[in-house]
Amino acid sequence: MSRIGVLGGMGPSATVDFMEKIIQLTPATRDQEHLPVIVANLPHVPDRSSAILGTGPDPLAALLAGIDLLNDIGVGVIAIPCNSSHHWYAQMAARSRAPLIHIAQSCVAAITHSLDGRPARVAVLATRGALASGFYQQALRARDIDFLVPDAATGQDHVDACIRAVKGGDMQAGAAAFERALQALAATGATAVIMGCTELPIAAEAAHATDHTAMTLVDSSLELARATVTFALDKGWNKPTWVS
Amino acid sequence: MSRIGVLGGMGPSATVDFMEKIIQLTPATRDQEHLPVIVANLPHVPDRSSAILGTGPDPLAALLAGIDLLNDIGVGVIAIPCNSSHHWYAQMAARSRAPLIHIAQSCVAAITHSLDGRPARVAVLATRGALASGFYQQALRARDIDFLVPDAATGQDHVDACIRAVKGGDMQAGAAAFERALQALAATGATAVIMGCTELPIAAEAAHATDHTAMTLVDSSLELARATVTFALDKGWNKPTWVS
């Protein structure tokens, strides 16, 4: 069971980005010092955001099939690099023998640290489904962090366009839409931005937004990777025992 | 069984690069049009090159455990983005219910096409183990393609250093070593270079070598991805049937 399980494909590029982050966060100088990871890249899971908004089919059966697959293989923890799917976190966690690391909990827990003690007003960028679900707002309220959710005037349309472009493989269009979303936030007084959809960090990197924005960008995918790698290193899964 | 299986982690970055190539080669505008892929990222498989050279432990048991794992999940084809591991191709193929796509066969088959009919003299860049195994030389001879294998004077030390650097996560050192390997080949009359180790294309990209070299670079990882995606699209695995 000394392996990380990743329920991925939502979307495929976000999963690749997440795997890359796991590698970069693992202290290793050769293959054998890395962490074993089983990735179920299942892109056919119905769109999570549409389902939450009541405009598309329910993905829960497909999500649970993925959870079952990873448990059947024998993984010791599961990470899901898709924020919107965490609308069904309780059902997936109840089904899984392996613990599930919650992407939004990991991300919000990192915020205080990311801001170096500066007072935060956090803009939550996510799919409309994830925002309607409300798990980010709940996690932020629980930590007493001031937040805002964009509306039409403050950039939600650009967030939607950005996510759609990255899922469609057009990283340059994604980057441009991400820039517009940041610009639209300027008037809100936001000091930090949660990239609460795993497509957004890909667009941010394509836009080199991490270098020039005045707002602190908090990357949900990176924070999930950090929590996952910490869990796995604590268990010693980087030590080559599974072969024996 | 309508899923691609990837036996990966050899090394981890090469597996991520391979997954990225699968995504880029798949015609898709949204998550649900992509191919389902199960990745067993098992970095603890003992070093393949050392084993072939008789200086390290045998990886066969670990390779077969990975093959079993993917077959147990139910994959319809297996790709292994590690050239040296193909020394044990026959044993893995005999063990697997799912067919195994051979990276070197896919790569050599692509060469004629890549060269647009120009006469080829192909330099094979690979680990010392893969070169000692000889499967690239065999595949090239079978197609009557003129080839050479670097020695100390023509860059094998730089190839070794490049692979080691990428596996250690130092892409800039890998890029520099790759450049030196190409320079050392200049006197050999090579018109094309097989990047016959899946770490090499990562270094080539970091060096932007694909843009400026006079030699055609043939990427074993890309050709394996192309063969794998072609196989899967032919079977219609991009159509969302597995959920139902």
Side-chain angles (χ1 to χ4, degrees), chain A residues 176-211:
Chain A
F178 187 78
E179 293 273 16
R180 285 194 294 274
L182 290 188
Q183 285 156 13
L185 284 175
T188 65
T191 57
V193 174
I194 288 179
M195 298 190 285
C197 170
T198 53
E199 273 73 31
L200 296 174
I202 298 172
E205 197 181 340
H208 306 288
T210 43
D211 302 333

Side-chain angles (χ1 to χ4, degrees), chain A:
Chain A
M1 314 291 266
S2 50
R3 301 162 179 163
I4 295 166
V6 176
L7 181 53
M10 304 176 278
S13 292
T15 298
V16 166
D17 179 54
F18 179 71
M19 288 180 70
E20 180 66 40
K21 284 165 176 165
I22 286 185
I23 293 169
Q24 286 174 2
L25 291 168
T26 305
T29 57
R30 59 194 184 100
D31 293 358
Q32 289 76 15
E33 294 166 4
H34 278 278
L35 290 163
V37 185
I38 309 289
V39 185
N41 208 54
L42 305 177
H44 294 153
V45 175
D47 187 74
R48 285 68 59 196
S49 183
S50 305
I52 297 167
L53 298 171
T55 60
D58 188 344
L60 182 57
L63 291 170
L64 294 179
I67 294 292
D68 287 350
L69 184 151
L70 290 169
N71 277 286
D72 288 349
I73 295 167
V75 298
V77 70
I78 294 177
I80 311 174
C82 166
N83 283 274
S84 303
S85 68
H86 285 68
H87 179 69
W88 296 272
Y89 178 84
Q91 293 95 318
M92 292 190 287
R95 176 79 153 240
S96 182
R97 287 190 300 280
L100 262 65
I101 301 179
H102 195 300
I103 192 168
Q105 297 290 350
S106 304
C107 186
V108 170
I111 284 184
T112 317
H113 180 69
S114 301
L115 293 177
D116 289 331
R118 283 176 291 145
R121 177 165 165 75
V122 181
V124 184
L125 305 193
T127 65
R128 286 173 193 263
L131 294 173
S133 179
F135 51 83
Y136 265 107
Q137 296 93 316
Q138 202 176 352
L140 288 159
R141 271 190 211 104
R143 292 195 170 238
D144 221 12
I145 298 171
D146 184 26
F147 67 88
L148 67 105
V149 168
D151 57 19
T154 52
Q156 184 61 38
D157 292 347
H158 301 311
V159 175
D160 298 345
C162 174
I163 296 167
R164 203 165 46 238
V166 173
K167 283 184 180 293
D170 188 344
M171 305 312 170
Q172 288 317 306
F178 187 78
E179 293 273 16
R180 285 194 294 274
L182 290 188
Q183 285 156 13
L185 284 175
T188 65
T191 57
V193 174
I194 288 179
M195 298 190 285
C197 170
T198 53
E199 273 73 31
L200 296 174
I202 298 172
E205 197 181 340
H208 306 288
T210 43
D211 302 333
H212 70 70
T213 178
M215 294 174 283
T216 302
L217 300 181
V218 186
D219 177 345
S220 60
S221 185
L222 178 62
E223 298 308 333
L224 179 64
R226 219 189 293 275
T228 306
V229 168
T230 299
F231 184 101
L233 292 179
D234 280 353
K235 303 270 187 192
W237 294 349
N238 53 330
K239 309 282 169 57
T241 51
W242 82 270
V243 177
S244 63

